[in-house]
Amino acid sequence: MFDWQWDFTWSILPRLIEATGKTLLAAGGGYLVALVLGLILALAQRTPWKPLTLVVRELVEFIRSTPLLLQVFFIYYVGPQIGLRLSPWTAGLTAIGLHYAAYLSEVYRGGIESIGKGQWEAARAINMSTAATYRRIIIPQALPPSIAGMGNYLVGIFKDTPMLSVIGVGELMHTANTIGAENYRYLEPYTLVGLIFLAISLPAAWLVRRFEAATRRRLGLSK
Amino acid sequence: MTDKTIHYPLKLEGPDVPMVRFMNVSKRYGDLVVLDRLDLDVAAGEMVTIIGPSGSGKTTVLRMIMTLEKIDEGVIYIDGEPLTHMEKNGKLVRANQAHMRKMRSKIGMCFQHFNLFPHMTALENCMEGPVQVLGISKDEARERAMELLEMVGMAEKSDQHPSRLSGGQQQRVAIARALAMRPKVMLFDEVTSALDPEVINEVTTVIRNLVDQHSLTMLMVTHQIGFAREISDRICFFFGGRIEEQGPPTDLLDEPQEDRTQQFLSAVFDAN
Ligand SMILES: Nc1ncnc2c1ncn2[C@@H]1O[C@H](COP(=O)(O)OP(=O)(O)OP(=O)(O)O)[C@@H](O)[C@H]1O
Ligand SMILES: [Mg+2]
């Protein structure tokens, strides 16, 4: 049924493996941006200054309810019109980082809100500052329940990296498209890309679960 | 401080400045008046117990001293200095964060549900404040924490996380954690209410020892009338956000003057 050509498969494999590296870089870089920015977005919604909370809340809602692809295009093509000329990589990482920061901020928020009022009051009773309370008491406890969600978005961001191909980031999808167009053959490159994604996603999801359990144990929170 | 007829001094001075003074303190949640122009003094080293029906404002009194609740009216003084307010240009204004942090260092509190930090061992719970807040070295903090855990009978379990400890054990660690900050005033809010009857004694024994050995000022909310009788210098009966009656345990418990006190006590004794 399929006309699968092994010679062709082997010949394109090195290019796809190289592109896998770039995909991982894009996912890793974007995730790093999202992790940090997400925490900022989450904490910004918890300041006593209500206008800030409201603005950040709306921003997060806006990002979450518009497609990533649109955000990628917007930053890359509309950016220059407002003086923001970014390379495909920078624009891509910004878009994907911002997009997932919005989702991660919700994960953090859920984690932080899952910590009872009693912990805040106990920290207050030993006279800890708010910053120290977050750093020493709240975030360490908010982390384990957040890890599952954080891990899902790590896999999610990885699977969304093909969106960056549309602005010319030379990741897996982009490379597979190029190979297909050069050779008029799409079966092998696309199949390989699918297999590569599978080969990375599945172990990653498993590692996340292991990490969650290990973190709980390390913090003495395991039941 | 809407009541102009009351003069709130910038500082309490004189020979017997109380460790805690509530002056005309009111607290409301919406329309609900929880504390109603309350006056209450606790002398240095005194053990005062607050009893009263549910909702009478007992917990609120302690939470206001711990600065967990804002005050609506009046001034609270700790060790002669205003807690809820501070001096600015010769006037009392609302305390800012810095002032409250300074004042809070004199106060410790134990909660009904212990509120230990679950991701830290018993020892780490007792070292956290001294290291992070007081800036004491880890070695010194550990030594001091171990002494306190020893005192509350928890030295052997010092490396256990709270999830591995019984309620009575957790509460004893919580007492050690509070004492590690070297407070002058200790607040106990129904610290035995969440405990199984058979472990209540572990905790009351610790508090009893504190009364005997230390010059701490203590304010305790409890439903254990027998324990209150045994260790209190004075018992305050709260009703509707005010002190309905107060006095030495024998007077208040054996010869209550007010109807409401009598009703409350007979209800409590009937229940037991
Ligand atoms: N955050 C809050 N918001 C609204 N009402 C509150 C709040 N905290 C306490 N209250 C109300 O204030 C009143 C006094 O509460 P408080 O906790 O001081 O009572 P208590 O004497 O300690 O009672 P208990 O014996 O049940 O612990 C209660 O009616 C309570 O419902
Ligand atoms: Mg109470």
Side-chain angles (χ1 to χ4, degrees), chain A residues 5 37 51 61 75 78 81 97-98 105 116 130 161 168 174 187:
Chain A
Q5 294 190 0
L37 204 59
E61 271 315 305
I75 290 180
V78 182
Q81 290 189 15
L98 193 64
S105 75
T130 304
T161 49
H174 190 265
L187 173 65

Side-chain angles (χ1 to χ4, degrees), chain A residues 81-118:
Chain A
Q81 290 189 15
I82 55 167
L84 201 70
R85 199 169 298 278
L86 301 173
S87 73
W89 269 93
T90 316
L93 289 192
T94 306
I96 212 166
L98 193 64
H99 188 79
Y100 275 91
Y103 281 98
L104 280 176
S105 75
E106 292 292 289
V107 173
Y108 291 140
R109 231 162 52 93
I112 291 171
E113 276 164 16
S114 74
I115 309 303
K117 183 161 129 276

Side-chain angles (χ1 to χ4, degrees), chain A residues 161-182:
Chain A
T161 49
M163 303 251 188
L164 304 188
S165 65
V166 297
I167 55 168
V169 172
E171 46 64 69
L172 264 175
M173 197 64 204
H174 190 265
T175 307
N177 282 336
T178 312
I179 292 172
E182 283 168 10

Side-chain angles (χ1 to χ4, degrees), chain B residues 213-265:
Chain B
Q213 294 166 12
H214 292 259
S215 55
L216 271 173
T217 305
M218 294 194 245
L219 251 171
M220 175 173 86
V221 173
T222 188
H223 288 299
Q224 288 182 276
I225 302 293
F227 181 53
R229 175 199 293 275
E230 182 196 332
I231 70 161
S232 311
D233 296 314
R234 176 160 49 111
I235 299 180
C236 299
F237 171 66
F238 266 63
F239 193 93
R242 302 194 66 121
I243 298 175
E244 182 81 10
E245 186 173 353
Q246 58 179 318
T250 42
D251 292 4
L252 187 107
L253 299 177
D254 298 336
E255 289 162 57
Q257 302 299 307
E258 304 293 331
D259 290 348
R260 282 170 178 151
T261 322
Q262 287 165 12
Q263 283 162 14
F264 174 76
L265 288 174

Side-chain angles (χ1 to χ4, degrees), chain B residues 124-148:
Chain B
E124 287 164 349
N125 264 278
C126 299
M127 290 170 60
E128 186 65 11
V131 172
Q132 297 295 327
V133 179
L134 303 180
I136 290 170
S137 79
K138 279 204 170 163
D139 286 341
E140 202 185 325
R142 182 175 299 114
E143 199 172 307
R144 165 95 177 129
M146 279 310 291
E147 275 170 28
L148 287 166

Side-chain angles (χ1 to χ4, degrees), chain B residues 66-82:
Chain B
M66 196 66 256
T67 68
L68 297 173
E69 303 288 348
K70 286 220 176 76
I71 194 165
D72 288 320
E73 201 176 309
V75 178
I76 301 174
Y77 296 86
I78 298 292
D79 206 6
E81 277 188 81

Side-chain angles (χ1 to χ4, degrees), chain A residues 119 121 124 127 136 141 219, chain B residues 63 101 116 118-119 128:
Chain A
Q119 292 290 303
E121 294 183 347
R124 176 65 60 86
N127 213 359
R136 301 281 310 171
Q141 291 182 68
L219 293 174
Chain B
R63 291 174 59 82
R101 274 204 91 189
L116 288 179
H119 57 305
E128 186 65 11

